[in-house]
Short mmCIF file of all heavy atoms in Angstrom, two decimals:
data_model
loop_
_atom_site.label_atom_id
_atom_site.label_comp_id
_atom_site.label_asym_id
_atom_site.label_seq_id
_atom_site.Cartn_x
_atom_site.Cartn_y
_atom_site.Cartn_z
N TYR X 923 38.92 -55.50 36.14
CA TYR X 923 39.99 -55.33 35.17
C TYR X 923 39.82 -56.46 34.17
O TYR X 923 39.97 -57.63 34.52
CB TYR X 923 41.34 -55.42 35.89
CG TYR X 923 42.55 -55.09 35.07
CD1 TYR X 923 42.68 -53.86 34.43
CD2 TYR X 923 43.61 -55.99 34.98
CE1 TYR X 923 43.82 -53.55 33.71
CE2 TYR X 923 44.76 -55.69 34.27
CZ TYR X 923 44.85 -54.47 33.64
OH TYR X 923 45.99 -54.16 32.94
N ILE X 924 39.44 -56.12 32.93
CA ILE X 924 39.15 -57.15 31.92
C ILE X 924 40.19 -57.04 30.81
O ILE X 924 40.37 -55.98 30.22
CB ILE X 924 37.72 -56.99 31.36
CG1 ILE X 924 36.70 -57.12 32.51
CG2 ILE X 924 37.46 -58.04 30.28
CD1 ILE X 924 35.25 -56.95 32.08
N ASN X 925 40.85 -58.17 30.56
CA ASN X 925 41.93 -58.25 29.58
C ASN X 925 41.58 -59.22 28.47
O ASN X 925 41.04 -60.30 28.74
CB ASN X 925 43.20 -58.80 30.23
CG ASN X 925 43.88 -57.81 31.13
OD1 ASN X 925 45.02 -57.44 30.89
ND2 ASN X 925 43.22 -57.38 32.19
N SER X 926 41.96 -58.88 27.24
CA SER X 926 41.91 -59.86 26.16
C SER X 926 43.35 -60.23 25.83
O SER X 926 44.26 -59.41 25.93
CB SER X 926 41.21 -59.29 24.93
OG SER X 926 41.99 -58.29 24.32
N THR X 927 43.54 -61.50 25.47
CA THR X 927 44.82 -61.99 24.95
C THR X 927 44.47 -62.86 23.75
O THR X 927 43.29 -63.16 23.53
CB THR X 927 45.61 -62.83 25.99
OG1 THR X 927 45.08 -64.16 26.04
CG2 THR X 927 45.61 -62.20 27.37
N PRO X 928 45.44 -63.32 22.99
CA PRO X 928 45.12 -64.21 21.88
C PRO X 928 44.43 -65.51 22.31
O PRO X 928 43.83 -66.18 21.49
CB PRO X 928 46.49 -64.50 21.25
CG PRO X 928 47.31 -63.30 21.59
CD PRO X 928 46.86 -62.91 22.97
N GLN X 929 44.50 -65.85 23.60
CA GLN X 929 43.88 -67.10 24.07
C GLN X 929 42.55 -66.90 24.77
O GLN X 929 41.96 -67.88 25.23
CB GLN X 929 44.86 -67.84 24.98
CG GLN X 929 46.06 -68.37 24.22
CD GLN X 929 46.95 -69.24 25.08
OE1 GLN X 929 46.55 -69.77 26.10
NE2 GLN X 929 48.19 -69.38 24.64
N GLY X 930 42.07 -65.67 24.88
CA GLY X 930 40.77 -65.49 25.51
C GLY X 930 40.62 -64.14 26.17
O GLY X 930 41.46 -63.26 26.05
N ILE X 931 39.51 -64.01 26.90
CA ILE X 931 39.19 -62.80 27.64
C ILE X 931 39.10 -63.18 29.12
O ILE X 931 38.43 -64.15 29.48
CB ILE X 931 37.88 -62.17 27.15
CG1 ILE X 931 38.02 -61.79 25.67
CG2 ILE X 931 37.51 -60.95 27.99
CD1 ILE X 931 36.72 -61.36 25.01
N TYR X 932 39.78 -62.39 29.95
CA TYR X 932 39.91 -62.71 31.36
C TYR X 932 39.47 -61.51 32.19
O TYR X 932 39.95 -60.40 31.99
CB TYR X 932 41.36 -63.08 31.69
CG TYR X 932 41.84 -64.22 30.83
CD1 TYR X 932 42.47 -63.98 29.61
CD2 TYR X 932 41.61 -65.54 31.21
CE1 TYR X 932 42.89 -65.02 28.81
CE2 TYR X 932 42.02 -66.59 30.40
CZ TYR X 932 42.65 -66.32 29.20
OH TYR X 932 43.05 -67.36 28.40
N ALA X 933 38.55 -61.75 33.14
CA ALA X 933 38.00 -60.68 33.97
C ALA X 933 38.40 -60.89 35.42
O ALA X 933 38.23 -61.98 35.96
CB ALA X 933 36.48 -60.67 33.83
N PHE X 934 38.92 -59.84 36.03
CA PHE X 934 39.33 -59.88 37.42
C PHE X 934 38.45 -58.94 38.24
O PHE X 934 38.41 -57.73 37.97
CB PHE X 934 40.78 -59.40 37.57
CG PHE X 934 41.78 -60.25 36.85
CD1 PHE X 934 42.14 -59.97 35.54
CD2 PHE X 934 42.38 -61.34 37.48
CE1 PHE X 934 43.08 -60.74 34.88
CE2 PHE X 934 43.32 -62.12 36.83
CZ PHE X 934 43.67 -61.82 35.52
N ASP X 935 37.76 -59.48 39.24
CA ASP X 935 37.04 -58.68 40.22
C ASP X 935 38.08 -58.29 41.26
O ASP X 935 38.50 -59.13 42.07
CB ASP X 935 35.91 -59.50 40.84
CG ASP X 935 35.15 -58.74 41.92
OD1 ASP X 935 35.59 -57.65 42.34
OD2 ASP X 935 34.12 -59.28 42.37
N LEU X 936 38.53 -57.05 41.23
CA LEU X 936 39.63 -56.63 42.09
C LEU X 936 39.29 -56.64 43.57
O LEU X 936 40.18 -56.55 44.41
CB LEU X 936 40.15 -55.26 41.66
CG LEU X 936 40.72 -55.21 40.23
CD1 LEU X 936 41.22 -53.81 39.91
CD2 LEU X 936 41.82 -56.25 40.03
N THR X 937 38.01 -56.79 43.92
CA THR X 937 37.64 -56.92 45.33
C THR X 937 37.79 -58.36 45.82
O THR X 937 37.73 -58.61 47.01
CB THR X 937 36.18 -56.47 45.60
OG1 THR X 937 35.28 -57.36 44.91
CG2 THR X 937 35.97 -55.03 45.15
N ARG X 938 37.98 -59.29 44.89
CA ARG X 938 38.02 -60.72 45.26
C ARG X 938 39.34 -61.41 44.95
O ARG X 938 39.45 -62.62 45.13
CB ARG X 938 36.89 -61.46 44.56
CG ARG X 938 35.52 -60.95 44.97
CD ARG X 938 34.42 -61.82 44.40
NE ARG X 938 33.12 -61.28 44.65
CZ ARG X 938 32.42 -61.50 45.76
NH1 ARG X 938 32.92 -62.23 46.71
NH2 ARG X 938 31.22 -60.98 45.89
N VAL X 939 40.31 -60.67 44.46
CA VAL X 939 41.62 -61.27 44.17
C VAL X 939 42.65 -60.62 45.08
O VAL X 939 42.49 -59.47 45.49
CB VAL X 939 42.02 -61.13 42.69
CG1 VAL X 939 40.99 -61.77 41.78
CG2 VAL X 939 42.23 -59.68 42.30
N PRO X 940 43.72 -61.34 45.39
CA PRO X 940 44.77 -60.73 46.22
C PRO X 940 45.39 -59.53 45.50
O PRO X 940 45.59 -59.56 44.29
CB PRO X 940 45.81 -61.84 46.37
CG PRO X 940 45.15 -63.09 45.93
CD PRO X 940 44.03 -62.72 45.02
N GLU X 941 45.67 -58.48 46.28
CA GLU X 941 46.36 -57.34 45.69
C GLU X 941 47.73 -57.80 45.21
O GLU X 941 48.42 -58.56 45.91
CB GLU X 941 46.52 -56.21 46.71
CG GLU X 941 47.15 -54.98 46.12
CD GLU X 941 47.13 -53.77 47.04
OE1 GLU X 941 46.37 -53.75 48.01
OE2 GLU X 941 47.90 -52.84 46.75
N PRO X 942 48.13 -57.38 44.02
CA PRO X 942 49.44 -57.82 43.50
C PRO X 942 50.60 -57.37 44.38
O PRO X 942 50.49 -56.38 45.12
CB PRO X 942 49.52 -57.13 42.13
CG PRO X 942 48.12 -56.78 41.78
CD PRO X 942 47.41 -56.53 43.08
N ASP X 943 51.71 -58.07 44.26
CA ASP X 943 52.97 -57.60 44.81
C ASP X 943 53.49 -56.56 43.83
O ASP X 943 53.56 -56.82 42.63
CB ASP X 943 53.98 -58.75 44.93
CG ASP X 943 53.56 -59.77 45.97
OD1 ASP X 943 52.96 -59.37 47.00
OD2 ASP X 943 53.82 -60.97 45.76
N TRP X 944 53.84 -55.39 44.33
CA TRP X 944 54.23 -54.29 43.47
C TRP X 944 55.75 -54.20 43.35
O TRP X 944 56.47 -54.44 44.32
CB TRP X 944 53.68 -52.97 44.00
CG TRP X 944 52.19 -53.00 44.17
CD1 TRP X 944 51.48 -53.04 45.34
CD2 TRP X 944 51.20 -53.03 43.14
NE1 TRP X 944 50.13 -53.09 45.10
CE2 TRP X 944 49.93 -53.08 43.75
CE3 TRP X 944 51.26 -53.02 41.74
CZ2 TRP X 944 48.74 -53.11 43.03
CZ3 TRP X 944 50.08 -53.06 41.02
CH2 TRP X 944 48.84 -53.10 41.66
#
Side-chain angles (χ1 to χ4, degrees):
Y923 188 57
I924 300 179
N925 286 242
S926 69
T927 79
Q929 292 186 21
I931 299 171
Y932 304 91
F934 298 91
D935 177 350
L936 298 181
T937 65
R938 298 187 186 274
V939 302
E941 184 171 343
D943 293 326
W944 304 108

